[in-house]
Amino acid sequence: MIRENEYKKLDWQLILCYLVLMTIGLISIFSAVYDENHGYILDISQRYGMQFIWIITSLFIAFLVLFVINPKLYSTLAWLIYGGSLFLLLAVIFLGIEVNGSNSWFEFGPVRFQPAEISKIATTMALASLMSSYSFRLKSLNGVVKIALLILVPMAIIVMQKETGSALIYGSFIFMLYREGLSGWYLSLGILAILLFLITLSFSPFIAVIVLTSTLIIARGILTRRPLLHIFILAALLPVMILSPRMGDISSISQSVKLSDVAWLSMVIAPLFLVHLISAFKSKLKLFWNIALCFVAAVVLIFSVEFFFEKVLKDHQRARIENLLGINVDLKGAGYNVHQSKIAIGSGGFSGKGFLQGTQTKFNFVPEQSTDFIFCTVGEEWGFVGSSFLIFIYLFMIIRIFNLAEKQKDTFNRIYGYSLASILFMVIGIPLPFVSYGGSSLWSFTLFLFIFIRLDLDRWK
Amino acid sequence: MAFDLGKKNVLILGVIVVALVFLVQLFYLQILDQEYKVTAENNAYRYDVRYPARGLIMDRNKKILAGNETAYDIMITPYEVKPFDTLDLCRIFDLDYIEVREKLREYRKNRRRIGFQSLQFVKQATSIQYAIFLEKSYKFPGFSAVSRTIRNYPYNSGANLLGYITEADTSFLRKNPQYRRGDYIGKTGIEQSYEEVLKGKKGHNIFLRDVHNQVKSSFADGKYDLEAVPGMSIISTIDAELQQYGELLMKNKIGSLVAIEPSTGEILTLVSSPGIDVTKLATINKYYSELLNDPLKPLFNRAVMSPYPPGSVFKLVNALVGLEEGVLDSDTRYSCSGGYHVGRGVACHPHPSPTDLTHSIMMSCNTYYCYVFRDIIDNPKYSSVTEGFLKWKEIVESFGFGKKLGTDFPAEQGGTLPTTDMYDKIHGKNRWKSLSIISLAIGQGEIGTTPLHLANFAATIANRGYYITPHIVRGSPDTLINSEYREKNYPKVSKANFEKVIEGMYLAVNSPPGSGATASRVAVKGLDICGKTGTAQNPHGKDHSVFICFAPRDNPKIAVVAYIENAGFGATWAAPIASLLTEMYLTRKIERIDMEAYILQGNLIGNTAAR
């Protein structure tokens, strides 16, 4: 299907990154599960032997995608693929096996496969197909509803599989939507929501509310074109908000009633909010109503985060978030992995201990070290040099995909590229795509990436 | 937007920012932060714990009661073990071959979980075993030794007082997360009360090792090593020699012997017999079940835990209450015709009659105290029996009876005093009179006092009206004792009233034989012992023999109680024992060889067989 001269136009930069990452992965898995009795890297009784097989098969998949499969099929069959992936997602709930408490895996002999991996690609294709059609308008209600459905349906099914973490990845489509015309304000709101989420967890709802209020005052200043006034208001208000819990010390109410910090803070913010509402009534500006709505929604978010965090997320998911935020709670329970992985990474120092010289990532001190915590092995044996090299490769890859996506003449291809970059960006961390152990994930990411590399050839037509 | 980047570039900028955040985090974690490099869980370093020497426990004259000696824990690092002569190892440490095989199999099974860790293999091997092991250690790769200090007891006495040390168990570890498995903790007595002072601080040496677990060098030239800080020593109030003598006197007797220095509240001697043999204390785990199952309950510290009826000794309390309440003065006389014949009556032994207060104490007249007690309870000052009783109880409690005195002895119990509720329940509300509770007059009935209570009471009389909470620790060389062990506690009885009672106690001991004095046989010339006998009836067989005393009469140096279970009259066993202890303390020698021999030969343990 591919012509001789086009072969040279393949994006070899991406392919090189891909090969380097897989090599790092194989070496790290070898080191993580290394056992002197099984020192041969192709020993398939060990994980690295298996990973070698996954790599060979992935290369075969890449070959098929590049040289065999007609790239036109992706846009034409997008809806079929999407439908099929939904079917698989549903089927796995009933027919799949349970792994770590979630029903998201099919098992065929030695091979395990997670339909959610395919669903990411299928959803990307469906979105690209929808949004590249001539009649599509992102800013119409019809368009928004369709996009929301396309994203939310697989997300909901994945949540039903108790894989909340994987479901959250679908949030990354917002970056693609931003490129395709979504207002920057929505992206900002999304980022603000994530920020408030993180602040609530790592500090407290009290601080999150202060940050929220300050942000909205600044936003109001920018939007009403009176930034100075609003900065003055904020400057006066900030110390009052921060010190509000101290009001209890001076006023006499606190003698009888014990109020929480947030309650004191709300006494400061409530009148402010009231003033804002009154001006919204008077001016009849839609903008003011939006700000008010945003405030209420954010407050609800902040206080449901605690609930969400404690009740909805599973222990290991909580631990991952805590890991990211640097909150160490219970070093023997949920925080154990996190703590151990920090020791492993930290002990690597600048240049690392060297290949096979890591002591922390042996003997299961860091559990799941060949999958979720593979970064520990890299960090310990190759140090800051190695781990930052890894980050640079990912960074390079993502930027490269964004740039290539932007260059696409075909809308389908561009949307596909943006989605790929966004999802890669969101996923990286735990586990590491192309590096972590596992056939199902390696195959699907290979498929995801190489379809784009193939689509990219369309530029030269 | 103020300046337009283009949406692609905004996204790329975002990705770069996030990547930078990760890089900064990595930089911090891997290069700046040292914490994750030297943490104990880091397998790249071998932490050799250095255990501190536990603080010494000394007696009041700085003689060592509990010292330290070195023992060795043999550690195994399963990862390093190579095939070795198991039988030889068993021979060195006196181990069971089968058990060792089992242990090794267990390690093999858990080898992934254990990793490079070292585990305790033999606990507290002796220096001799250690020496033999050292010689042959090349034959046992993977085995090493860690020195530990264990207790030794040069004075061979005071086991119940000192308490013992054991390895921290799981429930303790759960409550005290700062301890680690393998740490020793004080479990009873001074070892427990002063654990914080005695324990010291662990240290460690850090060695760098490679992936093959070969120790390469000391990490950072020992910059992060930590010296163990030995525990602080404690000076106890105990007089080691007196304690030893007290234990000798109490040998083959069941009961307690307690001596207090009245002016300071310092406990000089505290014997609970039978007690734990000090030679078993250091390795108590070996004997624990044996001690636990001993019918004579050596683990039970009678001196501070057991509530006994005080018997006639309690007449002194009633005399003091009577004097304070004004229902009695030193001239009050009652005649006794072999008992108090009202109601069920209370019998008395033959003695000259009538008696005044002094002579009632000297001859321990039951009848006299029935009169006194009824006058206290039925005092017309108060509207009801209950009110009179509560007044009596208030004063009795002010002596410390019926509650914990607040000593630094962890196992202390409070004894019991009767309550109005209790009598309401027995007799019906307001249906009881002074006569119903007449047993209290002579220290019987619903009252339980520990020997420590009685010793404290003797000290209170010796002080003419105050006591300092008894305690067993003076302080460590660097710390002063709790201020509560300096304060004077004043029972609600005036000083003058004590003098009247003391005269009776003096006569009880120092009257010529044949005068009717209860304890004339224990008088020691020049010591001016003031005492009071007691013979406590009890449901468990023969009467308990009780004696409290202090000496000398003026400026007393020691207050003693001897409480001997099922030994009969107070004058037969308790009084000689208490007086011998007093004599030993005041003169540091015994003149009364015959009496000492009589006590030392006495074996009263058979008396309890009837129990």
Side-chain angles (χ1 to χ4, degrees):
Chain A
M1 298 297 292
I2 197 165
R3 278 186 298 274
E4 196 60 33
N5 58 338
E6 281 186 318
Y7 170 78
K8 284 179 186 149
K9 287 169 184 154
L10 281 176
D11 194 78
W12 286 101
Q13 295 186 26
L14 281 182
I15 296 177
L16 187 67
C17 287
Y18 169 77
L19 293 173
V20 168
L21 285 176
M22 283 202 308
T23 311
I24 292 175
L26 187 62
I27 290 172
S28 302
I29 293 163
F30 181 70
S31 187
V33 293
Y34 179 70
D35 182 334
E36 274 156 8
N37 299 326
H38 300 273
Y40 181 48
I41 198 157
L42 300 179
D43 184 342
I44 58 160
S45 68
Q46 300 296 311
R47 283 194 149 180
Y48 39 83
M50 286 306 287
Q51 182 73 358
F52 188 73
I53 292 176
W54 303 140
I55 288 175
I56 298 297
T57 45
S58 296
L59 290 175
F60 182 67
I61 290 173
F63 174 81
L64 287 183
V65 170
L66 290 183
F67 303 110
V68 179
I69 300 169
N70 185 337
K72 297 268 182 320
L73 286 178
Y74 306 126
S75 50
T76 43
L77 294 183
W79 293 104
L80 194 66
I81 296 171
Y82 182 72
S85 79
L86 287 189
F87 174 76
L88 284 177
L89 279 180
L90 280 172
V92 79
I93 299 181
F94 306 103
L95 304 173
I97 55 157
E98 189 177 312
V99 175
N100 295 334
S102 72
N103 302 306
S104 62
W105 293 85
F106 280 123
E107 194 173 48
F108 309 103
V111 183
R112 277 183 187 174
F113 161 72
Q114 210 173 10
E117 306 268 17
I118 290 298
S119 165
K120 285 194 280 268
I121 308 175
T123 309
T124 299
M125 289 177 181
L127 280 171
S129 177
L130 170 74
M131 294 170 69
S132 60
S133 68
Y134 289 111
S135 57
F136 181 80
R137 292 287 170 274
L138 180 62
K139 293 200 170 138
S140 69
L141 181 65
N142 187 19
V144 171
V145 169
K146 278 182 178 164
I147 288 175
L149 277 178
L150 278 183
I151 297 175
L152 290 177
V153 169
M155 243 178 127
I157 303 176
I158 292 171
V159 169
M160 274 156 63
Q161 295 171 352
K162 300 187 200 108
E163 273 285 314
T164 324
S166 308
L168 290 177
I169 285 163
Y170 285 75
S172 57
F173 283 116
I174 195 170
F175 300 117
M176 179 272 288
L177 293 172
Y178 165 68
R179 164 61 186 80
E180 295 304 315
L182 192 73
S183 161
W185 287 107
Y186 290 106
L187 189 63
S188 310
L189 280 182
I191 290 169
L192 179 65
I194 293 171
L195 209 65
L196 290 177
F197 177 84
L198 297 183
I199 291 171
T200 308
L201 290 185
S202 37
F203 302 103
S204 67
F206 176 75
I207 293 176
V209 172
I210 290 180
V211 170
L212 167 69
T213 313
S214 312
T215 314
L216 288 182
I217 289 175
I218 296 288
R220 193 178 191 264
I222 295 172
L223 292 169
T224 54
R225 294 177 199 287
R226 283 149 74 189
L228 270 182
L229 172 70
H230 285 83
I231 285 172
F232 278 129
I233 294 177
L234 182 61
L237 198 65
L238 210 53
V240 180
M241 289 197 293
I242 292 167
L243 294 174
S244 63
R246 294 291 187 79
M247 291 197 299
D249 302 343
I250 31 178
S251 71
S252 55
I253 319 169
S254 66
Q255 313 290 323
S256 47
V257 203
K258 275 269 165 278
L259 287 177
S260 67
D261 290 358
V262 175
W264 285 112
L265 182 60
S266 66
M267 285 188 201
V268 178
I269 296 179
L272 203 74
F273 187 62
L274 215 64
V275 171
H276 177 77
L277 281 185
I278 291 167
S279 63
F281 262 116
K282 278 185 180 164
S283 66
K284 297 202 169 78
L285 270 177
K286 202 179 159 202
L287 171 70
F288 279 27
W289 287 113
N290 284 342
I291 290 178
L293 192 71
C294 181
F295 177 78
V296 173
V299 168
V300 171
L301 171 85
I302 289 170
F303 290 100
S304 55
V305 158
E306 199 86 8
F307 174 82
F308 175 77
F309 195 66
E310 297 298 329
K311 302 280 159 80
V312 182
L313 290 186
K314 283 187 287 178
D315 281 353
H316 69 279
Q317 291 165 338
R318 208 166 22 237
R320 286 170 193 189
I321 292 173
E322 281 169 348
N323 181 24
L324 277 171
L325 302 181
I327 317 169
N328 288 325
V329 193
D330 174 15
L331 293 188
K332 285 179 181 128
Y336 174 82
N337 296 355
V338 174
H339 185 66
Q340 290 295 336
S341 55
K342 275 193 169 177
I343 292 174
I345 296 171
S347 67
F350 180 71
S351 55
K353 297 175 188 163
F355 183 50
L356 296 183
Q357 300 303 307
T359 51
Q360 293 305 113
T361 44
K362 300 282 182 298
F363 294 110
N364 294 331
F365 280 106
V366 181
E368 315 223 9
Q369 56 213 6
S370 57
T371 52
D372 289 6
F373 290 93
I374 191 75
F375 194 78
C376 302
T377 310
V378 179
E380 185 181 14
E381 299 197 343
W382 306 105
F384 181 68
V385 174
S387 45
S388 46
F389 175 68
L390 192 60
I391 289 179
F392 272 118
I393 292 189
Y394 277 119
L395 185 63
F396 178 82
M397 238 180 140
I398 289 169
I399 293 175
R400 179 83 190 151
I401 297 171
F402 273 132
N403 280 328
L404 288 181
E406 190 60 40
K407 285 182 192 162
Q408 299 303 313
K409 295 173 203 154
D410 188 285
T411 318
F412 179 91
N413 295 356
R414 184 180 69 230
I415 293 175
Y416 187 95
Y418 269 100
S419 301
L420 170 63
S422 308
I423 285 179
L424 267 184
F425 171 57
M426 199 77 157
V427 168
I428 290 168
I430 314 166
L432 301 177
F434 311 117
V435 173
S436 291
Y437 174 79
S440 158
S441 123
L442 184 57
W443 285 350
S444 62
F445 275 113
T446 302
L447 199 61
F448 208 169
L449 177 68
F450 277 83
I451 288 176
F452 179 67
I453 295 176
R454 180 67 186 85
L455 289 174
D456 180 52
L457 288 184
D458 289 352
R459 280 196 293 143
W460 308 100
K461 274 182 189 161
Chain B
M1 289 246 158
F3 49 99
D4 201 2
L5 281 169
K7 289 193 164 183
K8 180 197 82 184
N9 290 331
V10 170
L11 287 175
I12 289 178
L13 197 68
V15 174
I16 291 175
V17 166
V18 171
L20 279 179
V21 168
F22 276 116
L23 281 177
V24 167
Q25 259 190 354
L26 275 178
F27 186 75
Y28 178 74
L29 201 59
Q30 298 193 300
I31 292 171
L32 297 184
D33 193 359
Q34 291 297 308
E35 184 201 340
Y36 287 105
K37 301 199 173 56
V38 293
T39 168
E41 287 137 281
N42 192 329
N43 301 306
Y45 308 100
R46 196 173 87 189
Y47 270 64
D48 284 358
V49 179
R50 295 156 96 172
Y51 289 100
R54 204 171 165 83
L56 306 176
I57 303 175
M58 295 182 273
D59 92 330
R60 58 196 295 114
N61 302 314
K62 304 216 172 151
K63 290 172 183 154
I64 293 172
L65 289 169
N68 290 320
E69 68 184 26
T70 308
Y72 298 89
D73 281 357
I74 305 301
M75 310 295 286
I76 180 171
T77 315
Y79 184 82
E80 297 175 340
V81 172
K82 303 209 168 74
F84 64 96
D85 185 349
T86 320
L87 263 181
D88 199 13
L89 191 76
C90 292
R91 227 171 291 128
I92 299 175
F93 296 111
D94 206 6
L95 301 170
D96 182 50
Y97 179 72
I98 313 265
E99 269 175 41
V100 170
R101 289 303 290 265
E102 198 47 51
K103 253 185 178 172
L104 291 173
R105 194 165 304 138
E106 197 69 20
Y107 295 142
R108 238 188 323 274
K109 221 169 71 194
N110 297 323
R111 67 184 186 284
R112 291 230 148 220
R113 192 173 51 77
I114 294 168
F116 296 140
Q117 287 170 355
S118 303
L119 308 165
Q120 233 172 32
F121 191 72
V122 181
K123 287 174 191 174
Q124 297 182 357
T126 63
S127 334
I128 296 168
Q129 289 174 326
Y130 172 66
I132 299 172
F133 168 75
L134 264 195
E135 217 165 274
K136 297 182 171 181
S137 64
Y138 69 93
K139 288 160 95 179
F140 307 112
F143 288 88
S144 58
V146 177
S147 75
R148 303 291 301 258
T149 55
I150 58 171
R151 281 298 197 208
N152 70 0
Y153 303 93
Y155 252 93
N156 208 13
S157 66
N160 286 57
L161 261 173
L162 298 167
Y164 56 87
I165 302 171
T166 64
E167 210 177 296
D169 58 20
T170 312
S171 68
F172 180 88
L173 289 172
R174 205 171 302 131
K175 278 177 244 155
N176 301 276
Q178 71 275 28
Y179 285 83
R180 289 279 167 271
R181 193 159 289 284
D183 287 355
Y184 292 153
I185 52 162
K187 195 78 181 194
T188 56
I190 295 178
E191 301 276 19
Q192 185 190 0
S193 315
Y194 292 88
E195 167 73 13
E196 276 308 306
V197 182
L198 291 169
K199 71 176 181 191
K201 242 182 115 173
K202 279 186 292 186
H204 54 242
N205 293 338
I206 311 178
F207 297 100
L208 202 60
R209 64 176 163 199
D210 62 13
V211 69
H212 305 295
N213 198 27
Q214 303 297 321
V215 168
K216 285 199 293 202
S217 59
S218 175
F219 175 61
D221 289 331
K223 200 172 127 196
Y224 296 97
D225 289 1
L226 201 63
E227 286 285 338
V229 182
M232 278 189 285
S233 295
I234 272 182
I235 300 171
S236 80
T237 63
I238 300 299
D239 183 316
E241 275 157 17
L242 196 67
Q243 175 75 21
Q244 206 169 24
Y245 186 62
E247 285 178 19
L248 188 69
L249 293 174
M250 291 297 285
K251 199 162 187 187
N252 295 326
K253 287 133 201 119
I254 297 174
S256 304
L257 179 61
V258 181
I260 293 178
E261 185 177 68
S263 58
T264 58
E266 293 179 351
I267 297 175
L268 300 169
T269 294
L270 190 141
V271 183
S272 170
S273 178
I276 308 167
D277 184 351
V278 156
T279 56
K280 293 179 180 172
L281 210 54
T283 48
I284 190 137
N285 283 341
K286 250 190 260 177
Y287 305 98
Y288 197 73
S289 63
E290 176 193 326
L291 290 169
L292 204 62
N293 295 324
D294 188 327
L296 298 176
K297 298 191 197 161
L299 290 175
F300 180 68
N301 196 329
R302 292 168 169 78
V304 295
M305 295 174 86
S306 189
Y308 291 111
S312 301
V313 168
F314 202 70
K315 288 171 186 168
L316 297 172
V317 181
N318 282 329
L320 289 165
V321 178
L323 287 166
E324 191 62 23
E325 284 290 280
V327 298
L328 172 70
D329 64 44
S330 36
D331 299 329
T332 309
R333 286 162 173 272
Y334 292 110
S335 64
C336 170
S337 51
Y340 182 72
H341 305 299
V342 185
R344 277 182 300 150
V346 172
C348 191
H349 53 92
H351 60 81
S353 169
T355 58
D356 62 7
L357 172 64
T358 313
H359 289 84
S360 76
I361 293 172
M362 167 183 146
M363 297 184 285
S364 195
C365 174
N366 288 350
T367 311
Y368 193 92
Y369 287 94
C370 291
Y371 284 115
V372 171
F373 185 71
R374 291 199 67 185
D375 285 350
I376 296 170
I377 303 297
D378 298 335
N379 193 338
K381 264 204 310 204
Y382 306 114
S383 59
S384 70
V385 173
T386 307
E387 210 175 309
F389 170 77
L390 286 176
K391 186 69 199 176
W392 171 84
K393 194 179 167 193
E394 179 192 324
I395 301 177
V396 172
E397 270 180 343
S398 71
F399 282 95
F401 291 113
K403 61 180 183 195
K404 289 183 188 178
L405 289 166
T407 67
D408 46 2
F409 210 88
E412 191 200 355
Q413 293 295 316
T416 52
L417 281 183
T419 61
T420 52
D421 283 352
M422 199 156 132
Y423 288 130
D424 284 347
K425 216 171 262 170
I426 300 172
H427 305 284
K429 196 157 176 67
N430 298 326
R431 296 277 304 278
W432 49 280
K433 305 185 288 277
S434 56
L435 199 58
S436 329
I437 56 174
I438 195 77
S439 316
L440 293 176
I442 55 168
Q444 297 289 151
E446 298 79 9
I447 181 168
T449 59
T450 65
L452 186 68
H453 276 134
L454 296 178
N456 186 49
F457 176 58
T460 311
I461 302 175
N463 287 337
R464 274 80 172 162
Y466 72 87
Y467 69 88
I468 291 171
T469 306
H471 51 278
I472 40 175
V473 165
R474 269 189 170 174
S476 59
D478 301 319
T479 53
L480 294 168
I481 54 162
N482 213 323
S483 61
E484 71 186 271
Y485 299 136
R486 299 178 180 284
E487 278 163 30
K488 293 176 177 177
N489 301 285
Y490 290 92
K492 295 172 177 169
V493 173
S494 63
K495 191 176 173 185
N497 289 334
F498 279 94
E499 290 295 353
K500 296 169 190 166
V501 167
I502 289 168
E503 175 66 17
M505 291 173 75
Y506 180 76
L507 290 179
V509 179
N510 298 294
S511 302
S515 60
T518 50
S520 52
R521 64 185 294 223
V522 300
V524 182
K525 216 173 157 209
L527 294 191
D528 285 354
I529 297 175
C530 303
K532 178 75 195 79
T533 55
T535 306
Q537 296 160 20
N538 70 91
H540 306 295
K542 208 173 162 186
D543 295 344
H544 297 327
S545 172
V546 196
F547 190 69
I548 71 169
C549 67
F550 64 87
R553 177 175 177 163
D554 297 316
N555 209 0
K557 292 273 179 287
I558 183 171
V560 183
V561 61
Y563 202 112
I564 318 298
E565 289 183 28
N566 310 108
F569 291 121
T572 9
W573 291 102
I577 290 174
S579 75
L580 283 167
L581 192 77
T582 308
E583 184 182 358
M584 178 55 103
Y585 183 66
L586 294 178
T587 66
R588 290 285 160 188
K589 61 181 192 298
I590 295 296
E591 296 278 350
R592 297 172 296 162
I593 306 291
D594 292 351
M595 182 171 281
E596 186 184 41
Y598 152 75
I599 294 297
L600 295 184
Q601 280 156 23
N603 185 343
L604 305 177
I605 291 207
N607 288 0
T608 51
R611 272 190 183 191

